[in-house]
Amino acid sequence: MPGMVLFGRRWAIASDDLVFPGVFELFVRVLWWIGILTLYLMHRGKLDCPGGVLLSSYLIVLIILLAVIICTVSAIVCVSMKGTICNPGPRKSMSKLLYVRLALFLPEMVWASLGAAWIEDGVQCDRTVGNGIIATVAVSWIIIASTVVTIVIVFDPLGGKMAPYPPAGPHHLDSHESSQLLNGLKTAATSVWETRVKFLCCCVGKDDRTRVAFSSTAELFSTYFSDTDLVPSDIAAGLALLHQQQDSIRNNQEPDEVVSHSPGPSQEADLDAELENCRHYMQFAAAAYGWPLYIYRNPFTGLCRIGGDCCRSRTTDYDLVGGDQLNCHFGSILQTTGLQYRDFIHVSFHDKVYELPFLVALDHRKESVVVAVRGTMSLQDILTDLSAESEPVDLECEVQDCWAHKGISQAARYVYRRLINDGILSQAFSIAPEYRLVIVGHSLGAGAAALLTIMLRGPYPRVRCYAFSPPRGLLSKSLYEYSKTFIVSLVLGKDVIPRLSVTNLEDLKRRILRVIAHCNKPKYKILLRACWYELFGGHPEDLPTELDGGDLTQPLLGERSLLAHGSPAYSFSSDSPLESPTKYPPLYPPGRIIHLEEVGTSGRFSCYPAARYSVKWSHESEFSKILIGPKMLTDHMPDILMRALDSVVSDRAACVSCPTQGGSSVEVA
């Protein structure tokens, strides 16, 4: 629901968000009240010491004050449980209760200060009473400090601008004035987001590229959240409902209802070969992450294996390799790839906004020159990821309408300049002129590798690319079609990144609004049910997924309460700011896509389950929606992807004679 309005400004918290904090405070307060009451009843006869009358009065007032606070918090919890996300009417008394609760902090602070002063004066009374007073003062100040921190967290810098129109927005204004108001709010929101991004990335630097990345990131965030009035807990509840809705649809779907894009015979014939290539080249993509990923994959032995390289001074072997900032990275790269020093042409861990680390090596086993680009590992990389607007790409090919993700395109252009202008590729091919160029990467590195491959297609027509878990919002439609002949992408399970684009995020926002508007349960029940479902499984909630005979192209009445008045979504317009054809056109993943999908369930508490996978060539349309689930993030991790690839390739090799299922997928255990 919309954020609450208190003291004339909007706050980033809703009136139904106070159930869990209130229950926790009640638990602490009731225990505290029982303890103080017990202390007073058991030791009131021992308060005949100097200052004992004051202490007795202190305890009596504290017991009464705690009882009043407990009653107030109980009322807040009860009111917060009423209604639904889109129906805050039963909670209209919440603001008055919060004013009362905040007013009670004043006597509580005064009483805590008096208790601290009496302790400082060293009142000579029973030691147990003294310890009780000390505990009381400590708990009082902890709760007060926690409240101050909470107020800082839920403070909305734009709340003062949005508060004048809390229920229905500026409906009394004409369209021109309303448009001016919304544009002003968006400008202010962009400024606030830019300040937040600069604060979080204060150690990144202040060069021109970084400032451009700050502005791009701030504009993306402000645009995405400009037409909704959701608080963070609304989004969490919506994601939980979407996860259960997706599971319910999948459980009720008949096998013949599954839409499958069957590959041609030539695609199916080389699936095994490409899987073997993916497993081989994934080692280089993982090696590009350097020592952090190696230590993460080998927590007990990794440091011992590469520790010598970290402590050892630069040797003549290192001098054979071009590059910078190697530190401990080289040892982990050697361990991951199994190559020797002499097999590396260049290793760079230079890392700035739009400038990614990469390595160039000679792979004698596959007779290839491998360029591996690192994925996201730093704040600079995150800013590159979030520079998500599209920009035209100048390519030496006949493809029309060449657009790409701005941040990744500039990162690929940086690596291109290093490889060509610094003569790195020329040096590699002077050593092995008959080798083939192969470019690989994972995540952000996969996107940069795909674009780099397209850029190098002219001078190196035999170039190939293996993109592991690439972002969806990367290439225009024409570039996506063009890349199918020389790029292979690999996606594991529900990995969110290959489904992540600005267009898909806009679709996710609309689905969240829709599922919240359909749900008639209070938010605390939704979140409790979600926790139980994620931890212990069970049957998903029976959630409606559509309206019988209704028009689903326009917001429901419940959705209207979650949309900003005057926004495109509210006025039923499809021209969302995030779907602007010039700035955020639909973008697609690179190349042909191999999808490894886990079959069945292997338990929710198993750390290393014996997973079974179906393997198939997939169409990009199968990744046109973001899937919600606990594995949407873990399936993106490079170590998980490497384990899945090892399992699939080994099992397919051991089961060469297994028949395929439907000609497009093979299940392996």
Side-chain angles (χ1 to χ4, degrees):
M1 66 158 291
M4 284 191 298
V5 176
L6 294 171
F7 302 107
R9 66 178 304 116
R10 177 192 180 275
W11 298 79
I13 188 171
S15 58
D16 54 357
D17 284 339
L18 303 175
V19 176
F20 299 117
V23 168
F24 178 75
E25 184 179 357
L26 270 180
F27 176 75
V28 174
R29 296 277 185 183
V30 169
L31 288 182
W32 183 10
W33 185 81
I34 293 174
I36 295 298
L37 181 62
T38 303
L39 179 70
Y40 175 75
L41 294 177
M42 293 182 62
H43 297 274
R44 59 182 175 180
K46 302 178 182 179
L47 296 177
D48 52 355
C49 54
V53 176
L54 287 177
L55 283 182
S56 178
S57 302
Y58 176 86
L59 291 176
I60 293 173
V61 173
L62 181 60
I63 291 170
I64 297 173
L65 180 61
L66 282 176
V68 174
I69 292 175
I70 288 172
C71 293
T72 305
V73 175
S74 300
I76 289 173
V77 171
C78 291
V79 171
S80 187
M81 289 180 172
K82 297 179 179 179
T84 64
I85 296 177
C86 292
N87 179 27
R91 302 189 296 272
K92 60 184 178 181
S93 60
M94 179 60 74
S95 58
K96 297 177 182 178
L97 288 172
L98 286 177
Y99 286 136
V100 173
R101 176 65 191 93
L102 291 173
L104 289 173
F105 273 111
L106 182 60
E108 187 174 12
M109 291 178 64
V110 171
W111 226 238
S113 301
L114 286 176
W118 287 336
I119 292 171
E120 183 68 23
D121 290 340
V123 178
Q124 302 296 322
C125 274
D126 186 87
R127 185 174 183 83
T128 304
V129 177
N131 292 336
I133 300 298
I134 293 174
T136 294
V137 172
V139 173
S140 295
W141 285 112
I142 289 174
I143 292 178
I144 292 169
S146 301
T147 304
V148 172
V149 171
T150 302
I151 291 174
V152 171
I153 292 174
V154 302
F155 177 79
D156 184 354
L158 297 174
K161 299 178 181 293
M162 299 174 67
Y165 316 103
H171 56 277
H172 62 281
L173 302 178
D174 60 34
S175 59
H176 177 69
E177 292 176 323
S178 179
S179 176
Q180 282 187 326
L181 174 65
L182 290 172
N183 289 335
L185 286 174
K186 183 181 176 183
T187 302
T190 302
S191 176
V192 168
W193 276 109
E194 188 165 352
T195 302
R196 290 170 175 171
V197 173
K198 287 180 178 179
F199 175 77
L200 292 173
C201 305
C202 57
C203 57
V204 168
K206 296 183 179 179
D207 56 87
D208 291 339
R209 286 191 165 192
T210 304
R211 283 192 287 269
V212 170
F214 285 158
S215 299
S216 297
T217 303
E219 187 168 357
L220 174 65
F221 283 144
S222 63
T223 303
Y224 186 71
F225 294 108
S226 63
D227 60 347
T228 58
D229 192 5
L230 295 172
V231 297
S233 61
D234 294 337
I235 299 174
L239 292 174
L241 291 172
L242 274 182
H243 180 208
Q244 295 178 60
Q245 184 187 79
Q246 290 170 358
D247 286 354
S248 178
I249 294 174
R250 188 179 66 250
N251 294 342
N252 296 330
Q253 199 170 34
E254 297 295 334
D256 57 356
E257 293 178 349
V258 179
V259 178
S260 177
H261 300 267
S262 299
S266 60
Q267 287 183 316
E268 183 61 29
D270 66 354
L271 180 57
D272 284 333
E274 294 294 12
L275 279 172
E276 173 57 41
N277 287 336
C278 285
R279 178 169 74 162
H280 177 76
Y281 289 116
M282 181 61 201
Q283 299 176 63
F284 291 89
Y289 282 98
W291 66 264
L293 178 60
Y294 185 78
I295 296 295
Y296 177 77
R297 292 179 58 209
N298 304 275
F300 301 109
T301 61
L303 191 59
C304 298
R305 292 178 182 176
I306 68 172
D309 293 291
C310 296
C311 302
R312 190 184 303 125
S313 59
R314 189 180 179 97
T315 64
T316 55
D317 290 328
Y318 277 69
D319 295 330
L320 297 174
V321 182
D324 49 28
Q325 302 182 26
L326 298 183
N327 300 329
C328 302
H329 295 302
F330 212 159
S332 66
I333 293 172
L334 295 175
Q335 291 286 341
T336 302
T337 61
L339 301 183
Q340 304 297 319
Y341 286 101
R342 61 179 178 272
D343 297 325
F344 288 88
I345 305 299
H346 191 91
V347 179
S348 172
F349 277 87
H350 169 79
D351 188 14
K352 293 181 69 177
V353 177
Y354 304 148
E355 298 178 4
L356 299 179
F358 66 96
L359 62 87
V360 181
L362 300 177
D363 178 17
H364 302 295
R365 178 183 164 188
K366 293 285 187 177
E367 295 187 344
S368 59
V369 174
V370 180
V371 178
V373 187
R374 196 190 74 180
T376 304
M377 275 282 289
S378 66
L379 289 174
Q380 292 92 328
D381 299 336
I382 293 174
L383 289 173
T384 301
D385 285 317
L386 293 175
S387 298
E389 60 263 45
S390 299
E391 69 173 14
V393 182
D394 185 18
L395 299 173
E396 297 178 1
C397 64
E398 298 180 355
V399 180
Q400 301 297 321
D401 190 29
C402 297
W403 291 79
H405 182 289
K406 174 186 172 181
I408 300 178
S409 174
Q410 296 207 18
R413 183 66 64 181
Y414 160 77
V415 180
Y416 176 88
R417 289 195 301 267
R418 293 290 307 275
L419 293 177
I420 300 301
N421 298 347
D422 294 355
I424 296 173
L425 285 185
S426 299
Q427 179 186 353
F429 282 104
S430 68
I431 299 173
E434 73 284 2
Y435 280 15
R436 183 179 193 173
L437 179 60
V438 177
I439 304 176
V440 303
H442 173 265
S443 188
L444 168 62
L451 276 167
L452 178 61
T453 303
I454 296 174
M455 295 173 184
L456 291 170
R457 180 76 167 163
Y460 299 94
R462 296 175 60 227
V463 66
R464 294 278 293 176
C465 174
Y466 291 93
F468 303 98
S469 306
R472 176 178 176 83
L474 184 65
L475 305 175
S476 61
K477 184 72 171 179
S478 57
L479 278 180
Y480 157 68
E481 296 291 347
Y482 173 68
S483 68
K484 285 183 177 180
T485 58
F486 53 91
I487 297 179
V488 173
S489 294
L490 185 77
V491 178
L492 175 62
K494 294 184 177 181
D495 187 352
V496 66
I497 300 301
R499 297 173 171 86
L500 193 62
S501 68
V502 175
T503 307
N504 281 9
L505 280 174
E506 180 72 6
D507 171 72
L508 177 64
K509 179 173 69 176
R510 289 176 176 174
R511 287 190 288 144
I512 287 175
L513 292 174
R514 180 56 49 89
V515 76
I516 286 176
H518 279 184
C519 187
N520 58 2
K521 294 186 177 180
K523 189 189 299 181
Y524 79 95
K525 287 187 177 180
I526 297 174
L527 297 177
L528 283 176
R529 168 62 180 164
C531 291
W532 180 272
Y533 185 74
E534 298 298 341
L535 291 173
F536 306 108
H539 296 288
E541 291 281 2
D542 185 16
L543 300 170
T545 57
E546 60 182 2
L547 294 179
D548 296 333
D551 179 8
L552 297 186
T553 62
Q554 297 181 353
L556 302 175
L557 181 61
E559 287 178 82
R560 281 172 169 262
S561 66
L562 303 174
L563 294 169
H565 248 273
S567 70
Y570 191 93
S571 58
F572 308 151
S573 168
S574 61
D575 300 327
S576 167
L578 287 183
E579 293 182 344
S580 167
T582 55
K583 196 158 194 175
Y584 299 109
L587 297 179
Y588 302 85
R592 296 181 298 160
I593 303 173
I594 299 175
H595 190 199
L596 308 183
E597 191 169 14
E598 190 171 346
V599 179
T601 179
S602 52
R604 295 178 181 258
F605 297 104
S606 179
C607 296
Y608 297 99
R612 300 173 64 244
Y613 296 92
S614 66
V615 186
K616 65 176 182 178
W617 291 105
S618 294
H619 191 266
E620 60 82 17
S621 60
E622 297 182 38
F623 305 94
S624 60
K625 286 187 180 293
I626 295 175
L627 300 181
I628 309 301
K631 292 191 176 182
M632 62 187 292
L633 299 178
T634 57
D635 280 347
H636 186 68
M637 298 298 293
D639 59 312
I640 303 293
L641 182 57
M642 292 179 76
R643 281 207 301 268
L645 266 175
D646 289 340
S647 173
V648 167
V649 174
S650 300
D651 290 336
R652 286 175 71 93
C655 188
V656 181
S657 60
C658 290
T660 60
Q661 298 184 356
S664 64
S665 67
V666 175
E667 289 189 9
V668 291

